[in-house]
């Protein structure tokens, strides 16, 4: 496989919320939920996004407006082109036979949207800071919401809501994507309740195919061995919930650095 | 047949096999270098370290094509102070580790090497040959015999570690530059860095794909050129050569050693065959040695010469 972007034409655009748009384009790419693609704007930059919608040959990426790159994606019109390459990464290990729950924090729900499509009988939790940030309300009609300000659904974090739900309902597996602090707590909760869990990690991704080393998390390449990791794998990864690398390779607190925020909040992966 | 010997020496460094992770591939963290060692590498090289932190070029920084890879990463690294912390206990990697050191002025190289004191690297590698980063390598005029001599001499004064100088294939007089390095006290030559720079244009976008527009060419396209450089150097210098450029199979490694290399660098091979490329290459070398009744890899070194 040659790792170069191919140009695709945007054929539809859906406004999901004031800050999130889903851009649709035709591609025959064989995408597994949890994988990611690299999106290229010529002469500007290239960044990782999950595919949030798959309908035959029509793929979609949900883009949170967050910085220069995503601003430019939001300015795209039907008929404009973007470059894509991939898919990259391992994807979720989907187990339709299990009672499962997906937990999406912020734009992290975009990484889980194709999981929800594939596993129809699951509990869905979407958490945001406030009601206007909630997306996919028409697409998934049976979501449980939580907002930090209480403007929609449960007031509090996704972790609080999940803890509440597991008291009444037995899950065998949780799929999650969102801020790492949230995922770290969800993993702790799952360990306590003996629930299997897969998380989709955010790291600064450069090559996407495992040779540059920039997305290292304790010796695991997020772009190849990840971005999806299981609890046994996370148990061996000290950096999970703690450390991420900046563009320079400097190790910083994963929960507390602006430069990282575009990957953890900007369309996760 | 008796046990095969794959161990080689580069200067005074003993390697369990001739495969060395080339600089710029995976060497961002100690954890990844350790993983490369666990996947069979005889030695590993860090990503290049400069005095100050560098974010490098914007993406796309690495792409591939039919005959290899094109990259313009732009020497992203956290600067020597933080890099030295990352690699403080580099001996944990379990195989010899080589620190790649870059700079714009010769004083920068000295500062970076001094910044590594207290770490446990086995050697220092100095690339004077990057084709695509302003202020470094070829774009800073470091690919001349005089600059090579001056930088090598300056670093030689501040470290007792073996010094490897990494040279460009894109310069006609590679032997002259290698001799300048040897005269200045280098202990080995790494041949070669990426060639070019080259360019790949997306014809639908009508723009170069790399954000920096041009980048160094590696992989299959580079191999015959790297092999020729190693062949020429073997005749011209007396210090060992690390043959680097398009080596991704055991046969390639053997070819490079027959040209005169004491060990081989592996970079783009990680893309071609995965992180366990080192193990695969060593198995293929062993099989070839058995088939050809060769028990010691060192006996093939330079075999291609008259």
């Amino acid at each position: 496989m040659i790792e170069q972007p191919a140009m695709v034409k945007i054929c539809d655009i859906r406004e999901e919320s004031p800050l999130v748009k889903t851009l649709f384009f035709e591609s025959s790419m064989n995408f597994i939920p949890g994988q990611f693609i690299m999106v290229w704007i010529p002469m500007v930059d290239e960044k990782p996004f999950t595919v949030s919608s798959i309908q035959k040959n029509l793929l979609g990426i949900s883009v949170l407006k967050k910085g220069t790159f995503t601003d430019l994606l939001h300015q795209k019109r039907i008929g404009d082109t973007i470059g894509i390459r991939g898919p990259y990464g391992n994807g979720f290990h989907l187990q339709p036979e299990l009672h499962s729950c997906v937990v999406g924090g912020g734009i992290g729900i975009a990484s889980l949207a194709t999981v929800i499509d594939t596993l129809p009988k699951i509990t869905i939790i979407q958490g945001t800071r406030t009601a206007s940030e909630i997306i996919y309300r028409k697409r998934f009609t049976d979501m449980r919401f939580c907002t930090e300000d209480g403007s929609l659904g449960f007031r509090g974090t996704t972790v609080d809501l999940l803890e509440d739900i597991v008291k009444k309902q037995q899950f065998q597996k949780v799929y999650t994507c969102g801020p790492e602090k949230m995922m770290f707590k969800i993993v702790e909760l799952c360990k306590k309740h003996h629930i299997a869990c897969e998380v989709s990690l955010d790291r600064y991704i450069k090559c996407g195919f495992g040779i540059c080393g920039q997305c290292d998390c304790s010796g695991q390449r997020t772009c190849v061995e990840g971005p999806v990791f299981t609890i046994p794998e996370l148990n061996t990864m000290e950096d999970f919930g703690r450390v991420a690398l900046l563009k320079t390779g400097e190790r910083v607190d994963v929960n507390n650095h602006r430069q990282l925020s575009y990957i953890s909040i900007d369309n996760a992966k | 047949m008796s046990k095969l010997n794959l161990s080689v020496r580069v200067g005074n460094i003993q390697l369990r096999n001739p495969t060395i992770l080339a600089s710029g591939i995976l060497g961002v963290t100690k954890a990844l270098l350790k993983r490369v060692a666990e996947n069979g590498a005889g030695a590993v090289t860090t990503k290049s370290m400069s005095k100050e932190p560098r974010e490098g070029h914007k993406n796309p920084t690495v792409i591939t094509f039919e005959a290899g890879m094109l990259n313009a990463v732009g020497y992203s690294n956290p600067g020597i102070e933080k890099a030295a912390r990352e690699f403080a206990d580099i001996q944990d990697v379990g195989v010899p580790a080589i620190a790649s050191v870059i700079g714009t002025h010769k004083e920068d190289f000295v500062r970076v090497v001094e910044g590594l004191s207290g770490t446990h690297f086995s050697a220092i590698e100095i690339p004077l040959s990057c084709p695509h980063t302003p202020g470094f390598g070829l774009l800073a005029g470091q690919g001349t015999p005089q600059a090579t001599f001056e930088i090598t001499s300056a670093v030689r004064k501040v470290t007792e570690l073996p010094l490897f100088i990494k040279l460009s294939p894109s310069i006609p007089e590679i032997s002259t530059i290698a001799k300048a390095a040897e005269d200045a006290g280098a202990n080995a030559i790494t041949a070669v860095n990426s060639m070019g720079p080259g360019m790949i244009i997306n014809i639908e976008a009508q723009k170069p794909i790399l954000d920096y527009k041009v980048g160094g060419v590696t992989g299959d396209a580079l191999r015959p050129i790297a092999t020729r450089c190693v062949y020429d150097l073997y005749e011209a210098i007396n210090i060992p050569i690390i043959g680097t450029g398009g080596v991704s199979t055991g046969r390639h490694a053997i070819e490079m050693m027959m040209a005169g290399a004491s060990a081989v660098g592996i970079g783009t091979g990680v893309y071609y065959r995965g992180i366990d490329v080192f193990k695969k290459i060593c198995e293929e070398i062993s099989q070839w040695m058995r088939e050809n009744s060769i028990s010691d890899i060192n006996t093939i070194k330079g075999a291609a010469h008259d």
Side-chain angles (χ1 to χ4, degrees), chain B residues 223-306:
Chain B
R223 191 171 57 255
I225 293 163
T227 305
R228 185 266 303 162
C229 288
V230 169
Y231 187 95
D232 286 352
L233 289 172
Y234 188 72
E235 308 230 322
I237 56 173
N238 296 310
I239 51 179
I241 304 158
I242 300 168
T244 305
V247 176
S248 63
T249 70
R251 294 188 72 85
H252 298 158
I254 290 162
E255 181 185 10
M256 200 60 99
M257 294 183 77
M258 286 181 169
S262 297
V264 294
I266 316 286
T268 306
V270 174
Y271 154 67
Y272 284 121
R273 303 186 71 194
I275 200 167
D276 57 349
V277 61
F278 308 92
K279 225 176 257 175
K280 288 172 180 162
I281 288 176
C282 290
E283 279 161 16
E284 289 156 1
I285 293 174
S286 300
Q287 193 188 338
W288 185 88
M289 287 168 69
R290 276 192 292 272
E291 284 166 7
N292 290 276
S293 306
I294 289 167
S295 60
D296 182 355
I297 186 76
N298 294 284
T299 60
I300 67 161
K301 190 170 91 177
H305 291 262
D306 301 334

Side-chain angles (χ1 to χ4, degrees), chain B residues 21-220:
Chain B
L21 173 72
S23 182
I25 306 290
L26 295 173
V28 177
T29 64
K30 189 183 81 174
L32 273 174
L33 290 176
K34 185 158 189 272
R35 191 144 165 245
V36 168
E38 287 162 1
N39 278 282
V44 294
T45 315
T46 67
K47 194 152 172 50
S48 300
M49 296 171 270
S50 57
K51 199 172 72 176
E52 304 294 339
R54 294 178 53 82
E55 288 196 350
H57 299 314
K58 279 190 187 167
N59 260 351
T61 47
V62 191
I63 55 175
T64 68
F65 65 107
E66 294 80 350
M69 204 161 81
L70 190 70
N71 92 82
V73 172
Y75 283 140
S76 55
N77 81 96
I80 184 56
E81 196 185 323
K82 282 169 181 137
R85 221 175 295 155
E86 173 66 31
F87 300 124
D89 300 311
I90 194 70
Q91 67 278 12
D92 296 349
V93 167
V95 298
I98 302 157
S100 178
V101 169
I102 51 168
T104 299
H105 308 288
K106 69 180 179 197
E107 296 78 18
D108 302 342
F109 291 91
V110 168
R111 279 278 299 280
V112 175
V113 170
E114 285 172 343
L116 288 169
S117 64
T119 59
H120 294 84
F121 282 102
S122 299
I124 307 276
E125 180 173 274
I126 298 186
L128 300 175
S129 40
C130 176
H132 52 74
T133 307
F136 296 88
L138 299 188
L139 301 187
Q142 293 171 353
T144 66
Q146 194 189 342
T148 300
F149 184 86
E150 284 174 9
I151 294 166
T152 308
S153 303
V155 175
R156 180 73 290 164
K157 287 191 190 109
V158 295
T159 182
E160 293 186 345
L161 288 175
L163 270 186
F164 304 167
I165 305 298
K166 188 171 185 177
L167 300 182
S168 168
S170 308
I171 284 176
E173 285 302 302
I174 191 169
S175 296
T176 315
I177 299 175
K179 267 189 235 161
E182 186 178 19
D183 290 345
N187 303 88
I189 297 294
T190 305
V192 290
N193 207 320
S194 61
M195 66 175 169
M199 178 184 283
I200 295 176
I201 294 166
N202 181 301
I203 61 170
E204 279 72 38
Q206 306 187 14
K207 290 287 179 286
I209 299 175
L210 290 180
D211 193 78
Y212 189 62
K213 298 188 176 70
V214 300
V217 178
T218 59
D220 286 338

Side-chain angles (χ1 to χ4, degrees), chain A residues 139-232:
Chain A
R139 182 171 167 190
F140 307 121
T141 50
D142 50 353
M143 276 190 287
R144 305 282 301 265
F145 302 113
C146 59
T147 49
E148 283 174 24
D149 65 1
S151 51
L152 183 69
F154 181 89
R155 183 195 192 106
T157 69
T158 55
V159 186
D160 299 332
L161 180 56
L162 181 64
E163 181 135 46
D164 206 42
I165 296 176
V166 293
K167 282 177 195 154
K168 305 158 207 160
Q169 209 177 332
Q170 279 273 306
F171 295 118
Q172 291 161 294
K173 188 159 183 177
V174 168
Y175 304 89
T176 183
C177 184
E180 194 142 318
K181 194 184 262 179
M182 173 198 103
M183 294 196 290
F184 188 83
K185 286 180 184 163
I186 285 176
V187 165
E188 292 304 305
L189 182 69
C190 288
K191 284 185 194 171
K192 195 169 97 186
H193 293 275
H194 307 288
I195 304 168
C197 182
E198 291 187 16
V199 312
S200 177
L201 285 195
D202 272 327
R203 287 295 182 275
Y204 180 68
I205 302 238
K206 232 183 221 178
C207 71
F209 49 93
I211 63 125
C212 79
Q214 198 68 38
C215 63
D216 168 66
C217 184
S218 297
Q220 303 298 307
R221 296 168 294 177
T222 303
C223 71
V224 173
E225 285 83 37
V228 175
F229 293 98
T230 62
I231 289 180

Side-chain angles (χ1 to χ4, degrees), chain A residues 3 36 39 49 51 80 101 107 180 202-203 222 228 243:
Chain A
E3 311 293 350
F36 66 93
V39 175
F49 289 83
V51 169
D80 288 349
C101 180
I107 192 66
E180 194 142 318
D202 272 327
R203 287 295 182 275
T222 303
V228 175
V243 175

